[in-house]
Amino acid sequence: MSLEMESCGRGQAAEVPRVPKSARGKRSVRKKEAQSQVMCAFDLLATVAGKLLDEGEGSAGAPALTACVKDVCVKQEHCDVEMEHLKNEVTDQDSCNESAILPHTVFQQSVNHARNEDAKAKSEDQDKESSMISSTKAELGSNFRAIADLWSPESVEAGAFTGDAVASLMPTAAAGFHKNAPHMYNLLDPMDVDTKPPPLVSSDSTGEMPRGLKGVTGYSVDRDDDGDKSSGCTHPSTTANRDFKPNCIAEHSRVRKPLTCKYRNAAPTRMHKSDLSYSDVERKPSFRNKKMHYTRQRTQRSTFKRRKLFDRHTVLASEFGRANGKGNTKVTGRNSHAAFLEKNKGTKSMPFQKYEGNNSAASNDSHVKLKIKSFKVPELLVEIPENATVGSLKKTVLEAVNAILGGGLCVGVLHHGKKVRDDSKTLMQAGIDQDDMLDSLGFSLEPNCTHNPLQVQPPEDISFMETIDITEPLARIAPADSSCKHGEVNVSHELALTPLTMNYQGSDHDSVHSPDKVYTNSRALVPVPAADLDAGAIVPVNKSKRSPEQGQRRIRRPFSVAEVEALVLAVEKLGTGRWRDVKLRAFDNAKHRTYVDLKDKWKTLVHTASISPQQRRGEPVPQELLDRVLAAQAYWSQQQAKLQPRTPPLAEARLLT
DNA sequence: CTTAGGG
DNA sequence: CCCTAAG
């Protein structure tokens, strides 16, 4: 076994609960929404906890923060995905799972369509696997979501899952940031259904740039078009699937509609307080968040093509462990090794501890404190190259776990109870051999990876990365292609998460809930700024004046090169005046990143491209991209100008005639 | 809600 | 990123 270093390119991020700001202005509304979100979050957690308690699922003895590898085995091809169903369904599974799965299902379909015959067989396998993964995630998701939200609110959203499904079907793309381009996940091409005609160029009605553009700007539209549209299928810069036309996408939208409706209609059920579950919450978007994602409205009312059914309903987690951005977002050895991923499933058991709220003094203060001692993730199937490094092992496991919890966690490796910090060491060098894996290897879930081992990645995009970072799933496919040269390690273990302590209040949706505190006791775990909690929690209806709660400024999330690349691609095609479309097209899955953000980013990009490299700061953006930024900016500005002077294309055409 | 711009 | 004015 030799190794290859791989840093854990992922950090957790918890996003400060925030109501989509698009609805700026109406603070009162925002407040209310946040409030609702918090309430729901707590209700959920409470529900989950309650269920578990009822089923006496507590494994008091589970040592927190550690996991044991119970089983290691080498397998051939794909992992056997055992779809062991969760035993403790926390709630209305049907609707819950369904909603969680839909996205993938749809995605897969389109992806498969896109694939070529020769890839068909493989595709099916993968498809199957993805499917299972999706299901698994859905299941786990429904059960863990509430908790997971504590760490990573966004990643739990449907969008996050979607990415994986697609990713697993993706060919092993070349290295480079492209691979992560978010647009690749957007199979749903707004352009295909968008009724809004392109603003500038008539020939652009199909979302294509005028041919002439090529000459003018120097960038190829074709590349963009094909690569982009076939997104989930191929690397944008790859010419491979050029011929592939995104028809499936359009279909997609259509297909989605019914599903969406289904989902929406599934809301009606009854449900008691005790029944209140995640799904329940989900079904009440209106209640939780009146202003759904901005992309929603238009969509819903117009074509239903969107599938954004969930809103973020988290408010507990907060940002933490933010890497200071800057250059450390790079994942090394990214494409170097193939192998990976997981399969997991299993039952989850979360030992809870319930104890009366001491301060229940407050009259009807029905607080209930729940202490989650640990989480158990029964089975995780991990595939790693024989020459995997500790780092890659961590990453792999992390990814598997993230897949379950939705991200926001880091994985630590313990050997004989001792933390193995050097990620660059090979398992062997670290003294871990096959035999060891059976009994002396352990994993720990760490909320924050600020220490060297697990490289820190700015919380950045949990959701974004989650969705666009197809690296992982991709990797997983590789082995298959290479006829699985690598051994597959089937690791079955328990993962104990740091305990969580929080207060939870009854689920009176109409009342104000105010979690006292949410925290985990492990160092560095999601420190929740009081503000955040207060934000959603306390919404003094009368306190007209300051409500800084809400005011929390969103955490800063530097755009990664991948994002920039996606942005550039989208703008090249759509122009600079259609941010909403750009958003939909390239950042549909990035819950954060509003179109305003994109617009702002573009603004800065243009600026950045104009200044000398020395003056630039932050993660350096490839000059190539900057050049494209300028080209696109120039081009679209020109178009803009053209239209301005009351020179309708037609008129011009006539003139020419 | 979206855009466009200034802060 | 935030905030606003406009559409």
Side-chain angles (χ1 to χ4, degrees), chain A residues 39 97 121 140 204 209 232 257 320 325 348 395 410 419 446 451 468 471 520 563 572 581 591 599 617 627 636:
Chain A
M39 299 194 298
N97 285 343
L140 287 165
D204 185 31
M209 245 180 186
K257 175 177 181 176
F320 55 91
K348 55 92 202 26
K395 186 184 177 188
C410 282
K419 256 194 168 176
E446 300 159 353
H451 34 294
I468 69 160
T471 306
T520 54
E563 288 178 292
E572 283 178 337
D581 290 329
K591 306 313 185 195
K599 182 215 47 169
R617 290 182 299 173
D627 291 340
W636 290 104

PDB file of all heavy atoms in Angstrom, chain A residues 39 97 121 140 204 209 232 257 320 325 348 395 410 419 446 451 468 471 520 563 572 581 591 599 617 627 636:
ATOM      1  N   MET A  39     -38.787  27.157  15.128  1.00  0.00           N
ATOM      2  CA  MET A  39     -39.774  26.336  15.785  1.00  0.00           C
ATOM      3  C   MET A  39     -39.801  24.974  15.161  1.00  0.00           C
ATOM      4  O   MET A  39     -39.820  23.958  15.818  1.00  0.00           O
ATOM      5  CB  MET A  39     -41.153  26.964  15.641  1.00  0.00           C
ATOM      6  CG  MET A  39     -41.198  28.329  16.293  1.00  0.00           C
ATOM      7  SD  MET A  39     -42.888  28.873  16.462  1.00  0.00           S
ATOM      8  CE  MET A  39     -43.384  28.960  14.801  1.00  0.00           C
ATOM      9  N   ASN A  97     -39.742  10.816   2.416  1.00  0.00           N
ATOM     10  CA  ASN A  97     -38.804  10.201   1.510  1.00  0.00           C
ATOM     11  C   ASN A  97     -39.045  10.623   0.092  1.00  0.00           C
ATOM     12  O   ASN A  97     -38.152  10.861  -0.673  1.00  0.00           O
ATOM     13  CB  ASN A  97     -38.953   8.684   1.575  1.00  0.00           C
ATOM     14  CG  ASN A  97     -38.341   8.165   2.831  1.00  0.00           C
ATOM     15  OD1 ASN A  97     -37.570   8.866   3.457  1.00  0.00           O
ATOM     16  ND2 ASN A  97     -38.677   6.968   3.209  1.00  0.00           N
ATOM     17  N   ALA A 121     -24.891   0.050 -19.815  1.00  0.00           N
ATOM     18  CA  ALA A 121     -24.797  -0.980 -18.798  1.00  0.00           C
ATOM     19  C   ALA A 121     -24.256  -0.421 -17.502  1.00  0.00           C
ATOM     20  O   ALA A 121     -24.843  -0.560 -16.441  1.00  0.00           O
ATOM     21  CB  ALA A 121     -23.866  -2.087 -19.299  1.00  0.00           C
ATOM     22  N   LEU A 140     -32.193   8.226   5.734  1.00  0.00           N
ATOM     23  CA  LEU A 140     -31.384   8.802   6.789  1.00  0.00           C
ATOM     24  C   LEU A 140     -31.694  10.262   6.920  1.00  0.00           C
ATOM     25  O   LEU A 140     -31.763  10.805   8.001  1.00  0.00           O
ATOM     26  CB  LEU A 140     -29.910   8.610   6.458  1.00  0.00           C
ATOM     27  CG  LEU A 140     -29.502   7.167   6.648  1.00  0.00           C
ATOM     28  CD1 LEU A 140     -28.181   6.930   5.976  1.00  0.00           C
ATOM     29  CD2 LEU A 140     -29.422   6.856   8.119  1.00  0.00           C
ATOM     30  N   ASP A 204     -30.877  34.450 -29.685  1.00  0.00           N
ATOM     31  CA  ASP A 204     -30.562  33.810 -28.417  1.00  0.00           C
ATOM     32  C   ASP A 204     -31.779  33.174 -27.783  1.00  0.00           C
ATOM     33  O   ASP A 204     -31.789  32.719 -26.681  1.00  0.00           O
ATOM     34  CB  ASP A 204     -29.993  34.859 -27.470  1.00  0.00           C
ATOM     35  CG  ASP A 204     -29.551  34.221 -26.187  1.00  0.00           C
ATOM     36  OD1 ASP A 204     -29.137  33.061 -26.242  1.00  0.00           O
ATOM     37  OD2 ASP A 204     -29.635  34.875 -25.162  1.00  0.00           O
ATOM     38  N   MET A 209     -25.886  31.721 -27.840  1.00  0.00           N
ATOM     39  CA  MET A 209     -25.342  33.008 -28.158  1.00  0.00           C
ATOM     40  C   MET A 209     -25.260  33.096 -29.646  1.00  0.00           C
ATOM     41  O   MET A 209     -25.130  32.116 -30.345  1.00  0.00           O
ATOM     42  CB  MET A 209     -23.940  33.049 -27.637  1.00  0.00           C
ATOM     43  CG  MET A 209     -23.802  34.047 -26.574  1.00  0.00           C
ATOM     44  SD  MET A 209     -22.154  33.830 -26.243  1.00  0.00           S
ATOM     45  CE  MET A 209     -21.753  34.705 -25.008  1.00  0.00           C
ATOM     46  N   GLY A 232     -24.798  17.411 -16.396  1.00  0.00           N
ATOM     47  CA  GLY A 232     -24.570  16.220 -15.640  1.00  0.00           C
ATOM     48  C   GLY A 232     -23.891  15.115 -16.377  1.00  0.00           C
ATOM     49  O   GLY A 232     -23.553  14.115 -15.819  1.00  0.00           O
ATOM     50  N   LYS A 257     -42.990  18.409 -13.011  1.00  0.00           N
ATOM     51  CA  LYS A 257     -44.209  19.060 -12.600  1.00  0.00           C
ATOM     52  C   LYS A 257     -45.118  18.177 -11.780  1.00  0.00           C
ATOM     53  O   LYS A 257     -45.459  18.493 -10.665  1.00  0.00           O
ATOM     54  CB  LYS A 257     -44.940  19.538 -13.840  1.00  0.00           C
ATOM     55  CG  LYS A 257     -46.285  20.113 -13.510  1.00  0.00           C
ATOM     56  CD  LYS A 257     -46.912  20.634 -14.766  1.00  0.00           C
ATOM     57  CE  LYS A 257     -48.248  21.244 -14.485  1.00  0.00           C
ATOM     58  NZ  LYS A 257     -48.801  21.818 -15.692  1.00  0.00           N
ATOM     59  N   PHE A 320     -19.003  28.329  11.700  1.00  0.00           N
ATOM     60  CA  PHE A 320     -17.941  28.111  12.654  1.00  0.00           C
ATOM     61  C   PHE A 320     -16.776  27.578  11.894  1.00  0.00           C
ATOM     62  O   PHE A 320     -16.858  27.208  10.738  1.00  0.00           O
ATOM     63  CB  PHE A 320     -18.371  27.079  13.668  1.00  0.00           C
ATOM     64  CG  PHE A 320     -18.788  25.841  13.011  1.00  0.00           C
ATOM     65  CD1 PHE A 320     -17.871  24.841  12.784  1.00  0.00           C
ATOM     66  CD2 PHE A 320     -20.089  25.708  12.559  1.00  0.00           C
ATOM     67  CE1 PHE A 320     -18.251  23.694  12.149  1.00  0.00           C
ATOM     68  CE2 PHE A 320     -20.458  24.557  11.915  1.00  0.00           C
ATOM     69  CZ  PHE A 320     -19.551  23.547  11.705  1.00  0.00           C
ATOM     70  N   GLY A 325     -10.617  31.211   4.341  1.00  0.00           N
ATOM     71  CA  GLY A 325     -10.650  31.208   2.900  1.00  0.00           C
ATOM     72  C   GLY A 325      -9.301  31.037   2.325  1.00  0.00           C
ATOM     73  O   GLY A 325      -8.549  30.274   2.774  1.00  0.00           O
ATOM     74  N   LYS A 348     -30.446   3.752  12.389  1.00  0.00           N
ATOM     75  CA  LYS A 348     -29.768   4.817  13.107  1.00  0.00           C
ATOM     76  C   LYS A 348     -30.296   4.740  14.512  1.00  0.00           C
ATOM     77  O   LYS A 348     -31.439   4.502  14.743  1.00  0.00           O
ATOM     78  CB  LYS A 348     -30.152   6.157  12.529  1.00  0.00           C
ATOM     79  CG  LYS A 348     -31.621   6.324  12.519  1.00  0.00           C
ATOM     80  CD  LYS A 348     -32.167   6.965  13.707  1.00  0.00           C
ATOM     81  CE  LYS A 348     -33.566   6.697  13.971  1.00  0.00           C
ATOM     82  NZ  LYS A 348     -34.112   5.583  13.531  1.00  0.00           N
ATOM     83  N   LYS A 395     -11.175  11.263   4.329  1.00  0.00           N
ATOM     84  CA  LYS A 395     -12.048  11.967   3.414  1.00  0.00           C
ATOM     85  C   LYS A 395     -13.156  11.067   2.910  1.00  0.00           C
ATOM     86  O   LYS A 395     -14.314  11.450   2.811  1.00  0.00           O
ATOM     87  CB  LYS A 395     -11.238  12.489   2.233  1.00  0.00           C
ATOM     88  CG  LYS A 395     -12.097  13.359   1.341  1.00  0.00           C
ATOM     89  CD  LYS A 395     -11.347  13.802   0.111  1.00  0.00           C
ATOM     90  CE  LYS A 395     -12.287  14.614  -0.788  1.00  0.00           C
ATOM     91  NZ  LYS A 395     -11.677  14.912  -2.081  1.00  0.00           N
ATOM     92  N   CYS A 410     -16.471  16.490  10.006  1.00  0.00           N
ATOM     93  CA  CYS A 410     -15.166  16.045   9.576  1.00  0.00           C
ATOM     94  C   CYS A 410     -14.963  14.689  10.211  1.00  0.00           C
ATOM     95  O   CYS A 410     -15.560  14.375  11.214  1.00  0.00           O
ATOM     96  CB  CYS A 410     -14.084  17.014  10.052  1.00  0.00           C
ATOM     97  SG  CYS A 410     -14.011  18.481   9.045  1.00  0.00           S
ATOM     98  N   LYS A 419      -5.541   9.176  17.962  1.00  0.00           N
ATOM     99  CA  LYS A 419      -5.831   9.912  16.741  1.00  0.00           C
ATOM    100  C   LYS A 419      -4.679   9.911  15.769  1.00  0.00           C
ATOM    101  O   LYS A 419      -3.545  10.160  16.131  1.00  0.00           O
ATOM    102  CB  LYS A 419      -6.153  11.363  17.092  1.00  0.00           C
ATOM    103  CG  LYS A 419      -7.626  11.630  17.008  1.00  0.00           C
ATOM    104  CD  LYS A 419      -7.880  13.111  17.017  1.00  0.00           C
ATOM    105  CE  LYS A 419      -9.321  13.366  16.632  1.00  0.00           C
ATOM    106  NZ  LYS A 419      -9.668  14.779  16.715  1.00  0.00           N
ATOM    107  N   GLU A 446     -16.082  14.778  13.662  1.00  0.00           N
ATOM    108  CA  GLU A 446     -15.734  16.034  14.278  1.00  0.00           C
ATOM    109  C   GLU A 446     -16.482  17.157  13.604  1.00  0.00           C
ATOM    110  O   GLU A 446     -16.470  17.267  12.392  1.00  0.00           O
ATOM    111  CB  GLU A 446     -14.239  16.252  14.156  1.00  0.00           C
ATOM    112  CG  GLU A 446     -13.492  15.167  14.837  1.00  0.00           C
ATOM    113  CD  GLU A 446     -12.073  15.054  14.328  1.00  0.00           C
ATOM    114  OE1 GLU A 446     -11.742  15.747  13.357  1.00  0.00           O
ATOM    115  OE2 GLU A 446     -11.331  14.275  14.913  1.00  0.00           O
ATOM    116  N   HIS A 451      -8.304  21.780  12.617  1.00  0.00           N
ATOM    117  CA  HIS A 451      -6.915  21.370  12.810  1.00  0.00           C
ATOM    118  C   HIS A 451      -6.373  20.847  11.496  1.00  0.00           C
ATOM    119  O   HIS A 451      -7.088  20.442  10.619  1.00  0.00           O
ATOM    120  CB  HIS A 451      -6.825  20.303  13.881  1.00  0.00           C
ATOM    121  CG  HIS A 451      -7.992  19.412  13.891  1.00  0.00           C
ATOM    122  ND1 HIS A 451      -9.252  19.849  14.219  1.00  0.00           N
ATOM    123  CD2 HIS A 451      -8.100  18.116  13.582  1.00  0.00           C
ATOM    124  CE1 HIS A 451     -10.077  18.830  14.137  1.00  0.00           C
ATOM    125  NE2 HIS A 451      -9.412  17.778  13.754  1.00  0.00           N
ATOM    126  N   ILE A 468     -21.983  20.218  -6.236  1.00  0.00           N
ATOM    127  CA  ILE A 468     -21.169  20.216  -7.409  1.00  0.00           C
ATOM    128  C   ILE A 468     -19.926  19.374  -7.307  1.00  0.00           C
ATOM    129  O   ILE A 468     -19.354  18.991  -8.284  1.00  0.00           O
ATOM    130  CB  ILE A 468     -20.704  21.613  -7.709  1.00  0.00           C
ATOM    131  CG1 ILE A 468     -19.727  22.006  -6.638  1.00  0.00           C
ATOM    132  CG2 ILE A 468     -21.845  22.545  -7.734  1.00  0.00           C
ATOM    133  CD1 ILE A 468     -18.879  23.118  -7.102  1.00  0.00           C
ATOM    134  N   THR A 471     -16.679  15.072  -7.393  1.00  0.00           N
ATOM    135  CA  THR A 471     -15.442  14.343  -7.324  1.00  0.00           C
ATOM    136  C   THR A 471     -15.593  13.018  -6.647  1.00  0.00           C
ATOM    137  O   THR A 471     -15.152  12.004  -7.098  1.00  0.00           O
ATOM    138  CB  THR A 471     -14.442  15.153  -6.515  1.00  0.00           C
ATOM    139  OG1 THR A 471     -14.384  16.414  -7.100  1.00  0.00           O
ATOM    140  CG2 THR A 471     -13.105  14.492  -6.569  1.00  0.00           C
ATOM    141  N   THR A 520     -23.095  21.894  21.416  1.00  0.00           N
ATOM    142  CA  THR A 520     -22.597  20.553  21.513  1.00  0.00           C
ATOM    143  C   THR A 520     -21.432  20.722  22.428  1.00  0.00           C
ATOM    144  O   THR A 520     -20.859  21.780  22.528  1.00  0.00           O
ATOM    145  CB  THR A 520     -22.110  20.094  20.157  1.00  0.00           C
ATOM    146  OG1 THR A 520     -21.192  21.052  19.713  1.00  0.00           O
ATOM    147  CG2 THR A 520     -23.263  20.009  19.219  1.00  0.00           C
ATOM    148  N   GLU A 563     -16.926  27.908  -8.790  1.00  0.00           N
ATOM    149  CA  GLU A 563     -18.124  28.722  -8.870  1.00  0.00           C
ATOM    150  C   GLU A 563     -17.946  29.823  -9.895  1.00  0.00           C
ATOM    151  O   GLU A 563     -18.861  30.153 -10.633  1.00  0.00           O
ATOM    152  CB  GLU A 563     -18.444  29.320  -7.500  1.00  0.00           C
ATOM    153  CG  GLU A 563     -18.965  28.299  -6.511  1.00  0.00           C
ATOM    154  CD  GLU A 563     -19.206  28.934  -5.166  1.00  0.00           C
ATOM    155  OE1 GLU A 563     -18.217  29.320  -4.526  1.00  0.00           O
ATOM    156  OE2 GLU A 563     -20.360  29.049  -4.755  1.00  0.00           O
ATOM    157  N   GLU A 572     -21.719  34.051 -19.902  1.00  0.00           N
ATOM    158  CA  GLU A 572     -21.331  34.077 -21.307  1.00  0.00           C
ATOM    159  C   GLU A 572     -22.556  33.764 -22.153  1.00  0.00           C
ATOM    160  O   GLU A 572     -22.766  34.321 -23.212  1.00  0.00           O
ATOM    161  CB  GLU A 572     -20.250  33.028 -21.574  1.00  0.00           C
ATOM    162  CG  GLU A 572     -18.886  33.460 -21.092  1.00  0.00           C
ATOM    163  CD  GLU A 572     -17.851  32.380 -21.315  1.00  0.00           C
ATOM    164  OE1 GLU A 572     -18.232  31.197 -21.413  1.00  0.00           O
ATOM    165  OE2 GLU A 572     -16.674  32.722 -21.388  1.00  0.00           O
ATOM    166  N   ASP A 581     -31.715  34.090 -14.061  1.00  0.00           N
ATOM    167  CA  ASP A 581     -31.511  32.934 -14.917  1.00  0.00           C
ATOM    168  C   ASP A 581     -30.132  32.333 -14.699  1.00  0.00           C
ATOM    169  O   ASP A 581     -29.947  31.126 -14.765  1.00  0.00           O
ATOM    170  CB  ASP A 581     -31.667  33.333 -16.388  1.00  0.00           C
ATOM    171  CG  ASP A 581     -33.113  33.667 -16.716  1.00  0.00           C
ATOM    172  OD1 ASP A 581     -34.005  33.065 -16.093  1.00  0.00           O
ATOM    173  OD2 ASP A 581     -33.345  34.531 -17.577  1.00  0.00           O
ATOM    174  N   LYS A 591     -27.736  26.865  -2.492  1.00  0.00           N
ATOM    175  CA  LYS A 591     -28.764  27.604  -1.786  1.00  0.00           C
ATOM    176  C   LYS A 591     -28.341  28.999  -1.371  1.00  0.00           C
ATOM    177  O   LYS A 591     -29.135  29.912  -1.282  1.00  0.00           O
ATOM    178  CB  LYS A 591     -29.196  26.835  -0.552  1.00  0.00           C
ATOM    179  CG  LYS A 591     -29.630  25.429  -0.833  1.00  0.00           C
ATOM    180  CD  LYS A 591     -30.568  25.369  -2.007  1.00  0.00           C
ATOM    181  CE  LYS A 591     -31.063  23.951  -2.142  1.00  0.00           C
ATOM    182  NZ  LYS A 591     -31.689  23.674  -3.398  1.00  0.00           N
ATOM    183  N   LYS A 599     -24.632  38.568  -9.174  1.00  0.00           N
ATOM    184  CA  LYS A 599     -24.444  39.833  -9.877  1.00  0.00           C
ATOM    185  C   LYS A 599     -23.271  40.571  -9.249  1.00  0.00           C
ATOM    186  O   LYS A 599     -22.416  41.111  -9.938  1.00  0.00           O
ATOM    187  CB  LYS A 599     -25.703  40.681  -9.752  1.00  0.00           C
ATOM    188  CG  LYS A 599     -25.575  41.976 -10.505  1.00  0.00           C
ATOM    189  CD  LYS A 599     -26.281  43.134  -9.833  1.00  0.00           C
ATOM    190  CE  LYS A 599     -25.991  43.217  -8.356  1.00  0.00           C
ATOM    191  NZ  LYS A 599     -26.427  44.414  -7.698  1.00  0.00           N
ATOM    192  N   ARG A 617      -6.837  39.743  -4.621  1.00  0.00           N
ATOM    193  CA  ARG A 617      -6.732  39.055  -3.335  1.00  0.00           C
ATOM    194  C   ARG A 617      -7.616  37.822  -3.331  1.00  0.00           C
ATOM    195  O   ARG A 617      -8.479  37.643  -4.170  1.00  0.00           O
ATOM    196  CB  ARG A 617      -7.163  39.987  -2.224  1.00  0.00           C
ATOM    197  CG  ARG A 617      -6.165  41.096  -2.010  1.00  0.00           C
ATOM    198  CD  ARG A 617      -6.607  41.953  -0.874  1.00  0.00           C
ATOM    199  NE  ARG A 617      -7.891  42.570  -1.150  1.00  0.00           N
ATOM    200  CZ  ARG A 617      -8.561  43.267  -0.258  1.00  0.00           C
ATOM    201  NH1 ARG A 617      -8.093  43.407   0.945  1.00  0.00           N
ATOM    202  NH2 ARG A 617      -9.720  43.802  -0.569  1.00  0.00           N
ATOM    203  N   ASP A 627     -10.224  36.501 -18.271  1.00  0.00           N
ATOM    204  CA  ASP A 627     -10.274  36.984 -19.647  1.00  0.00           C
ATOM    205  C   ASP A 627     -11.677  36.782 -20.198  1.00  0.00           C
ATOM    206  O   ASP A 627     -12.221  37.624 -20.899  1.00  0.00           O
ATOM    207  CB  ASP A 627      -9.273  36.196 -20.510  1.00  0.00           C
ATOM    208  CG  ASP A 627      -7.845  36.540 -20.140  1.00  0.00           C
ATOM    209  OD1 ASP A 627      -7.644  37.609 -19.524  1.00  0.00           O
ATOM    210  OD2 ASP A 627      -6.938  35.752 -20.448  1.00  0.00           O
ATOM    211  N   TRP A 636     -21.569  41.617 -23.828  1.00  0.00           N
ATOM    212  CA  TRP A 636     -22.912  41.925 -23.370  1.00  0.00           C
ATOM    213  C   TRP A 636     -23.155  43.412 -23.155  1.00  0.00           C
ATOM    214  O   TRP A 636     -24.275  43.887 -23.267  1.00  0.00           O
ATOM    215  CB  TRP A 636     -23.234  41.118 -22.119  1.00  0.00           C
ATOM    216  CG  TRP A 636     -23.398  39.664 -22.447  1.00  0.00           C
ATOM    217  CD1 TRP A 636     -22.512  38.662 -22.203  1.00  0.00           C
ATOM    218  CD2 TRP A 636     -24.487  39.070 -23.145  1.00  0.00           C
ATOM    219  NE1 TRP A 636     -22.982  37.467 -22.702  1.00  0.00           N
ATOM    220  CE2 TRP A 636     -24.197  37.704 -23.291  1.00  0.00           C
ATOM    221  CE3 TRP A 636     -25.677  39.571 -23.684  1.00  0.00           C
ATOM    222  CZ2 TRP A 636     -25.064  36.814 -23.933  1.00  0.00           C
ATOM    223  CZ3 TRP A 636     -26.536  38.680 -24.322  1.00  0.00           C
ATOM    224  CH2 TRP A 636     -26.223  37.329 -24.447  1.00  0.00           C
TER     225      TRP A 636
END
